Amino acid sequence: MKQEVNELIDPLKFRDRIDIKGIEKSMLVDMLRKMVLIRKAEEKLSEHVESGKIKCPCHLGIGQEAIGVAVSLVMRKSDRAFGAHRSHSHFLALNENTYSLFAEVLGKYDGCSHGMGGSMHIVDNDNGFKGSVPIVGATIPIATGAALAAKMDKAGDISISYFGDGACEEGVLHESLNMASIMNLPVLYVCENNLFASHLHIDLRQPSNSTSRFARAHHINYSTVDGNDVVGMYKLLKSEIESMRSSNTPYYLEAYTYRWKGHVGHRDDIDVGVKRGAQLDAWKKRDPIKRLADSLIHEGILTESECQNLNNEIQNKINSDWEKAELASFPQNEFLITQVYS
């Protein structure tokens, strides 16, 4: 699936219902539920970054929910996924544990990193999310090494590396692609191309809007896709990952999307960067959640009332988990010493 990049980055396109044919009802509803959960969890985080209750930096991915959900649904628990500074969606798509995430950003012991990591250092070993770090591109070689380990284990597991278009300007990506190609490593490189690195548009940073040209240079198969179409990505990945498991080959997915919030924090950042102020409203009309919900209603899989009930149920869970996280305990002081490794 190699769609034209010029169309994929045009926010006036791909706004209609998506093709959901061939996917079971339960899977479609699960996709919608996961995306709504991620959206509402990040809206709650945004609210409390603004209120000042969250002290750590929070990089929100509102608008990008479809990518992590599509990948999570083709993963198995023994796979190894690695994120970056904007990885709430990758974490929640695998476990839906909003309490653990909320506790973490509040610095509480019940957090997924026992309150020591904050928003940018989240982990869930039990479900295959091996961790995230804020250094741009830092987990790409780790994911590549994990793919080597998976290959040596001969169990058919794969590794997943999430990164943004800005990380493609780090030399380590190119070294990793070369190693994965020459050593035949089963690593799925997922570039969430939201067109911005911090506040700078890709037009001002690279001679092309497409990062998949790097995969092509290293003889790695790739696809450029609509990152706001969860079903389209799921169908593609289901097929490609089955092939990766049997052939131990890398694959590069470039998913075009757009983050609704600024680089960090709760603001939209429409007053910085290039084009963002003019294009943000247009991109919101390519909402991955609304497109799937509209498709489910149109095909008679869910009614509008059932969609609303799902939203309400998730919002209640979010509110409850946040209140519980606020009441949770901070780590004991000695925990600072016992968790130091050398």
Side-chain angles (χ1 to χ4, degrees), residues 282-293:
W283 271 96
K284 286 184 176 180
K285 293 180 180 176
R286 200 198 276 189
D287 184 348
I289 295 176
K290 184 176 187 305
R291 289 168 70 195
L292 178 58

Side-chain angles (χ1 to χ4, degrees), residues 27-314:
M27 175 68 78
L28 293 166
V29 174
D30 195 32
M31 289 174 174
L32 180 64
R33 185 174 49 77
K34 284 176 179 288
M35 289 198 295
V36 172
L37 179 105
I38 294 167
R39 172 74 57 86
K40 290 188 177 297
E42 291 212 297
E43 288 174 344
K44 179 63 74 176
L45 294 176
S46 177
E47 175 186 340
H48 288 294
V49 168
E50 185 173 13
S51 75
K53 288 184 176 178
I54 296 175
K55 307 299 183 186
C56 66
C58 272
H59 299 75
L60 303 173
I62 295 174
Q64 302 185 185
E65 297 86 355
I67 302 168
V69 170
V71 173
S72 74
L73 292 172
V74 293
M75 280 181 61
R76 54 194 196 194
K77 289 189 176 182
S78 50
D79 290 334
R80 297 103 159 149
F82 299 82
H85 54 280
R86 200 180 311 280
S87 275
H88 301 153
S89 62
H90 312 144
F91 174 85
L92 290 176
L94 287 168
N95 65 20
E96 302 184 21
N97 192 341
T98 48
Y99 172 66
S100 178
L101 177 63
F102 292 161
E104 186 56 42
V105 300
L106 287 168
K108 304 299 181 71
Y109 182 79
D110 285 354
C112 58
S113 300
H114 292 311
M116 308 299 285
S119 166
M120 296 187 285
H121 301 88
I122 52 179
V123 63
D124 178 14
N125 270 314
D126 291 343
N127 289 291
F129 190 71
K130 299 300 181 182
S132 62
V133 299
I135 300 171
V136 175
T139 55
I140 297 173
I142 299 173
T144 305
L148 173 60
K151 179 180 177 180
M152 294 174 71
D153 288 345
K154 299 180 180 178
D157 294 331
I158 66 166
S159 174
I160 296 99
S161 174
Y162 290 106
F163 53 91
D165 48 293
C168 296
E169 291 147 24
E170 298 286 344
V172 73
L173 171 76
H174 306 277
E175 293 182 49
S176 298
L177 292 178
N178 182 62
M179 287 190 65
S181 179
I182 199 70
M183 297 178 71
N184 295 322
L185 303 180
V187 53
L188 173 66
Y189 296 101
V190 181
C191 178
E192 296 176 299
N193 190 340
N194 61 26
L195 307 178
F196 280 87
S198 188
H199 304 109
L200 201 59
H201 195 274
I202 195 170
D203 284 349
L204 297 176
R205 305 175 353 248
Q206 298 193 27
S208 166
N209 287 321
S210 170
T211 69
S212 52
R213 69 187 191 278
F214 302 130
R216 186 169 63 248
H218 288 287
H219 298 190
I220 293 176
N221 290 332
Y222 68 95
S223 291
T224 51
V225 301
D226 173 11
N228 287 13
D229 177 354
V230 64
V231 176
M233 286 186 288
Y234 170 75
K235 288 178 178 176
L236 170 73
L237 291 172
K238 194 170 186 297
S239 168
E240 295 297 341
I241 287 182
E242 284 179 5
S243 173
M244 288 175 65
R245 294 189 193 283
S246 60
S247 63
N248 284 319
T249 50
Y251 195 82
Y252 191 101
L253 180 76
E254 182 165 27
Y256 288 89
T257 185
Y258 207 83
R259 57 173 156 80
W260 293 9
K261 293 295 183 183
H263 170 59
V264 59
H266 66 283
R267 296 183 176 86
D268 290 347
D269 282 0
I270 58 173
D271 55 344
V272 295
V274 178
K275 294 184 179 178
R276 183 166 173 80
Q279 295 202 349
L280 179 57
D281 288 343
W283 271 96
K284 286 184 176 180
K285 293 180 180 176
R286 200 198 276 189
D287 184 348
I289 295 176
K290 184 176 187 305
R291 289 168 70 195
L292 178 58
D294 287 349
S295 302
L296 295 179
I297 292 169
H298 182 263
E299 295 295 329
I301 293 174
L302 288 180
T303 65
E304 290 190 20
S305 174
E306 287 171 329
C307 279
Q308 188 57 52
N309 289 341
L310 182 146
N311 272 271
N312 293 343
E313 176 188 325
I314 292 173

Side-chain angles (χ1 to χ4, degrees), residues 315-342:
Q315 187 63 62
N316 289 338
K317 169 182 166 51
I318 295 293
N319 293 341
S320 174
D321 282 352
W322 178 263
E323 291 172 7
K324 183 180 169 187
E326 282 198 288
L327 296 173
S329 300
F330 289 104
Q332 298 295 315
N333 289 343
E334 54 266 28
F335 199 68
L336 288 170
I337 304 300
T338 59
Q339 296 303 301
V340 174
Y341 299 91
S342 62

